Amino acid sequence: MALATIAALTVVGLATTAAAQSAFADVDSPSHGANIEALAATGLFEGTECGEGRFCPGDPAKRWTVAVWIVRALDGTDPPPVAGTRFADVDPGAWWTPHVERLADLGITVGCKREPLRFCPDETVTRARMASFLARAFDLADAPSAGFADTAASTHETNIDRLFAAGITVGCKQDPLRFCPGRPVSRAQMSTLLKRGLDSRTEPAPFAIGEGPRSGDTLLAASRARTCAVRLDATVACWGGEEGLLEHLSASGLRDVAALSTGQHPVSGLHTCAVHRAGTVSCWGPGHEGQLGQGSAENHFLPVAVPGITDAVAVAAGAAFTCVVHRDGGVSCWGSNRFGQLGSAPDASGHAAPERVAGLADVVAISAGEHHSCAVHGDGDVSCWGWVYGSSPFRIGGVKAVSVASGGTRSCLATHDGHIFCWDLGATTVLQMEQVGDIDDAVDVSVGDGTACALHRDGSVSCWGDNGVGQVGDGTTAPRSEPVRLDGLAHAVDVSVSSGSPDVGPHACAMHQDGSISCWGGNELGQLGDGTRHNGLTPRPVADMVRVPASGVPSTPTELLRNWTEAVVQDREAESGWLRVAWDHIRAETVFAQSEFGGFVDVSCGVNRVGGAVDAFGCAVSMMTMTEISLAVIHELAHVYDLHTGLAPNRAWGAVQLYFASTYPDCFSGPDLNGTEVLADTVLHVMAPHAWLTYYQSPGCPTLPEGSDPTPEATRVVRQGLAGQVPDWYAENITSGAELWAAWLRGPSLTALANLAGEFGGLCDTDWITHPFDPERLPPAGGNPFRDGGCPSLG
């Protein structure tokens, strides 16, 4: 989908500008003075001064004083009087006693000593105790170890780590990093720490429709089956089934995000890029064609900074490429260039690192379709390149655009006087564009495959086009040739329309001024974010996405893979218990690695013989490696369940293995493991019908029609086997050892033989079983190695 200029993103915090005249004669510290003055202006220090017009910033902060400051900071006022106190050493008549009681009521203090319970009001506050006070006061999230060299022995260590993660403290010394937990906190230091805590929880201002050029998918990026959004606090939330959860986990560590964009590749999946306020860009997802800008084709499922980009103001992600606008108005692109979408001569290899697009200047907004891009210049002209436009930017004059958006093969723009024009690829002049309805107050537009939506200046939204799953949002599924303004949708500041697929319906979302989001349209995979899987014909509010706690933010791709796979299994195990069996077996041996393969398992097969007797006959899976993180993990878990003898019911699953080995021999498998890949692909199709099936979509198997879904018979065999039932196919076709042997010889499978070795009286002999197979040792093709054949000599 498309993305362009960064919308206004303003965070309002407590002012830090010092008053024109200092409140205290003894405060002149450059590091603490502004914070003390800002808090003094709120009346927070009233009654706690050390003398008239004096703050005594270097004096240690006492516990009763800190109680007053924290309570006033949290409540904004003084608490009411109290009749008594729970603390034996607190004077019930002291003016600050209600503050101490309120501090205890809030759970911020439990006192200093017991039997009797005491508060120690005149004791100084140590840095360690200060950390616990503030962590509780501001409800700071759990955090990983900050790495302080001197906090391991402190009972306050976890709260110190939380304080560090929230940016409220940076420690006391470096090399090594130290916190000095036993050191007293001065009044000045406590003021600064309290001010930082207040700033960390201050609600940011609502979004607003910004002036000047902009485009859709700045704060919102709706893509096939999922949606991502920039929160008010400049973090990112995503939703939409298992893949939306993956995006949510991947982006959970991002901070200071100003805009984001997603590009949906029809095969390798979605990649996402985000612009940070400082001008850097982070990308993550599949990188097969260099679309992550890392100078390689490696996948990165945790965000990685794009080298060399430090001045970005906008980003747009296409199917397998990405472009950014620099502050100087130039554009850089990277990734696939088969259609000239990087603004240079088409080539099959593309460019895995950013390269400037020649001839582009004064660009203020950009969007990307599947294989082309369009940009708005400062004078309102639009340039497009890639696909039918060729490899050099083609300037379309005659318009004064403020917004441009590109879908798969269609683009739209909003003009400075509020009109909308759309065109199919190839338009070279405004005369070849089609004006949409009578809209005259549009400030933004977003385009999917056959549906588009416009954002009006008053914050309302209109949509038109295809409407098969309600993606227009007007309460019907009838196509709309004219824009329909959506009832009940107001105060919008951004809108984004997704593309769909044969299995997943398109949807659209709008962000409101307060940061809330509404979505409508297809919802097969939860892309509307309302907790259901029912399509929405009108806008529905998106449920708040649960934030990933600091302790749950993945720090490595393997951690991300394991956390996400566990969630996928939990979501499906009630109906598909085999997933839990396979995952519990291989979880600790599951890793992410860079490789050209999507995933693989390590398997060994054979017969163990002890003293001439058969001790064990079967296969074992010892490791699962993933090079991408997608629902393809179900394919690999199917391998684990399939290839590790004993996880599945032997007879039922052996029948499944025999069916695929004999029906699809020599299909992407070794000589003694026939049918395994087609079987795993069929399991994936049963579990996730919309997922890409690598082997059904690949040439090289004469018995497997390329580009087709699994046959009804193959699907039925898998469903019965996963339910622990012997498939009907087996009961109808295998009634003797001779029939089993004939079927097995069509596509030898050691795993199938291991599961079916006890059929028809069992195997007469296993001396001929080797790995790999030795054809010279196999029983004759017309023979029957099972006991119902009389155990003839195997020669």
Side-chain angles (χ1 to χ4, degrees):
M1 296 304 298
L3 176 80
T5 53
I6 301 172
L9 187 65
T10 305
V11 177
V12 177
L14 190 63
T16 58
T17 305
Q21 184 174 356
S22 175
F24 301 108
D26 58 350
V27 172
D28 58 3
S29 167
S31 58
H32 301 293
N35 295 316
I36 293 172
E37 298 296 345
L39 293 178
T42 70
L44 189 135
F45 301 131
E46 186 176 344
T48 66
E49 303 91 337
C50 62
E52 186 174 353
R54 297 179 63 243
F55 186 72
C56 300
D59 287 357
K62 293 184 178 181
R63 287 171 60 90
W64 74 265
T65 304
V66 169
V68 172
W69 293 356
I70 291 178
V71 168
R72 285 175 172 172
L74 296 181
D75 293 347
T77 186
D78 288 326
V82 294
T85 174
R86 72 196 73 187
F87 298 106
D89 57 349
V90 172
D91 180 1
W95 71 265
W96 43 260
T97 295
H99 299 80
V100 173
E101 287 297 308
R102 176 62 175 159
L103 198 73
D105 288 341
L106 292 171
I108 297 172
T109 184
V110 293
C112 64
K113 295 179 183 179
R114 296 186 178 276
E115 297 180 0
L117 182 63
R118 285 166 283 179
F119 181 70
C120 306
D122 290 320
E123 285 189 6
T124 59
V125 178
T126 65
R127 288 173 57 86
R129 292 193 180 99
M130 169 274 300
S132 289
F133 281 160
L134 295 184
R136 295 167 189 157
F138 297 117
D139 193 22
L140 299 182
D142 291 340
S145 172
F148 288 114
D150 56 354
T151 62
S154 175
T155 57
H156 304 275
E157 183 180 19
T158 58
N159 288 323
I160 294 170
D161 293 335
R162 290 171 179 167
L163 207 68
F164 180 82
I168 297 175
T169 183
V170 294
C172 65
K173 294 182 180 180
Q174 304 286 330
D175 299 325
L177 182 63
R178 283 169 284 181
F179 184 73
C180 305
R183 181 182 296 177
V185 175
S186 73
R187 288 165 58 92
Q189 291 167 342
M190 190 68 207
S191 301
T192 290
L193 295 167
L194 187 59
K195 173 65 170 56
R196 290 174 184 166
L198 285 168
D199 287 347
S200 73
R201 76 172 211 158
T202 301
E203 288 296 326
F207 294 117
I209 298 176
E211 296 295 327
R214 51 171 284 149
S215 182
D217 300 352
T218 300
L219 303 173
L220 272 177
S223 56
R224 189 174 66 204
R226 75 206 84 167
T227 314
C228 290
V230 180
R231 291 189 181 106
L232 286 172
D233 63 357
T235 61
V236 174
C238 302
W239 58 91
E242 293 91 348
E243 294 179 346
L245 173 62
L246 174 61
E247 291 295 304
H248 191 61
L249 288 170
S250 296
S252 60
L254 288 175
R255 298 292 183 269
D256 296 321
V257 175
L260 53 80
S261 180
T262 55
Q264 184 75 54
H265 192 282
V267 177
S268 62
L270 173 140
H271 80 285
T272 308
C273 292
V275 173
H276 299 272
R277 292 170 176 173
T280 58
V281 174
S282 297
C283 295
W284 64 98
H288 306 296
E289 300 195 53
Q291 59 263 49
L292 304 185
Q294 301 302 300
S296 71
E298 292 183 342
N299 300 326
H300 291 275
F301 293 96
L302 289 175
V304 287
V306 178
I309 303 294
T310 60
D311 61 346
V313 296
V315 63
F321 72 99
T322 310
C323 295
V324 298
V325 178
H326 299 276
R327 288 196 184 98
D328 63 6
V331 173
S332 291
C333 299
W334 59 88
S336 173
N337 197 37
R338 289 176 173 82
F339 302 95
Q341 58 265 54
L342 303 188
S344 58
D347 63 272
S349 58
H351 307 286
E355 293 188 7
R356 286 266 181 163
V357 178
L360 276 180
D362 193 28
V363 170
V364 293
I366 192 167
S367 67
E370 189 171 356
H371 303 300
H372 77 290
S373 295
C374 292
V376 178
H377 297 273
D379 61 2
D381 282 358
V382 173
S383 288
C384 296
W385 64 97
W387 218 346
V388 299
Y389 287 105
S391 57
S392 298
F394 182 89
R395 195 145 177 151
I396 302 173
V399 296
K400 293 296 180 183
V402 296
S403 168
V404 65
S406 300
T409 61
R410 191 162 175 81
S411 296
C412 294
L413 60 83
T415 65
H416 83 305
D417 55 0
H419 299 300
I420 298 286
F421 288 88
C422 296
W423 69 98
D424 290 319
L425 288 181
T428 58
T429 171
V430 71
L431 298 177
Q432 296 172 306
M433 300 178 185
E434 174 187 353
Q435 184 170 350
V436 178
D438 58 358
I439 295 176
D440 60 3
D441 61 345
V443 295
D444 199 2
V445 63
S446 181
V447 185
D449 282 338
T451 309
C453 293
L455 174 65
H456 297 275
R457 189 169 287 110
D458 65 0
S460 60
V461 171
S462 293
C463 299
W464 62 95
D466 296 340
N467 195 28
V469 292
Q471 63 265 41
V472 166
D474 67 342
T476 76
T477 56
R480 298 294 183 183
S481 59
E482 294 292 320
V484 180
R485 201 167 291 221
L486 304 189
D487 292 336
L489 204 160
H491 307 297
V493 295
D494 203 2
V495 64
S496 181
V497 183
S498 82
S499 299
S501 72
D503 299 311
V504 181
H507 71 291
C509 295
M511 177 175 284
H512 303 280
Q513 189 176 21
D514 62 0
S516 63
I517 298 166
S518 298
C519 295
W520 58 96
N523 196 33
E524 302 91 336
L525 300 177
Q527 56 264 44
L528 300 190
D530 65 346
T532 76
R533 295 295 174 98
H534 306 298
N535 293 346
L537 303 186
T538 57
R540 299 176 182 170
V542 174
D544 290 337
M545 283 297 298
V546 176
R547 292 178 183 268
V548 178
S551 59
V553 175
S555 59
T556 67
T558 291
E559 188 177 342
L560 172 66
L561 170 63
R562 292 180 181 179
N563 291 354
W564 177 73
T565 304
E566 174 62 29
V568 170
V569 172
Q570 284 183 6
D571 186 55
R572 297 172 180 267
E573 64 180 316
E575 297 180 355
S576 303
W578 73 268
L579 268 174
R580 173 57 65 190
V581 172
W583 178 234
D584 283 351
H585 173 76
I586 205 67
R587 172 172 31 200
E589 287 76 38
T590 295
V591 297
F592 177 89
Q594 296 287 353
S595 172
E596 62 185 32
F597 299 103
F600 47 91
V601 299
D602 293 344
V603 58
S604 59
C605 301
V607 177
N608 293 329
R609 296 176 176 88
V610 179
V614 175
D615 178 55
F617 171 26
C619 300
V621 173
S622 58
M623 177 173 284
M624 183 172 77
T625 303
M626 297 297 302
T627 65
E628 63 181 52
I629 305 180
S630 70
L631 287 179
V633 73
I634 294 178
H635 177 104
E636 301 308 323
L637 287 174
H639 278 324
V640 174
Y641 189 71
D642 177 35
L643 299 177
H644 192 89
T645 306
L647 296 184
N650 285 20
R651 187 167 184 264
W653 197 252
V656 174
Q657 293 169 321
L658 182 67
Y659 171 84
F660 281 91
S662 61
T663 306
Y664 306 108
D666 303 318
C667 284
F668 318 108
S669 301
D672 50 10
L673 291 174
N674 281 283
T676 58
E677 296 296 357
V678 180
L679 168 54
D681 246 13
T682 306
V683 172
L684 175 59
H685 179 72
V686 167
M687 301 297 297
H690 65 285
W692 176 263
L693 303 178
T694 300
Y695 296 95
Y696 278 94
Q697 304 297 328
S698 301
C701 179
T703 56
L704 187 69
E706 181 185 343
S708 67
D709 286 337
T711 65
E713 182 180 68
T715 302
R716 184 167 57 253
V717 167
V718 161
R719 288 188 184 277
Q720 290 177 324
L722 291 177
Q725 304 168 3
V726 175
D728 295 338
W729 169 87
Y730 185 81
E732 294 167 358
N733 293 278
I734 308 299
T735 61
S736 68
E739 290 177 345
L740 193 161
W741 182 242
W744 188 86
L745 285 175
R746 289 198 294 270
S749 166
L750 189 58
T751 55
L753 191 60
N755 279 319
L756 298 174
E759 290 287 273
F760 306 107
L763 290 171
C764 298
D765 193 328
T766 60
D767 288 343
W768 53 273
I769 299 174
T770 60
H771 179 64
F773 283 125
D774 180 357
E776 298 295 325
R777 300 182 65 175
L778 291 181
N784 178 2
F786 290 86
R787 295 189 183 280
D788 69 341
C791 291
S793 171
L794 299 180

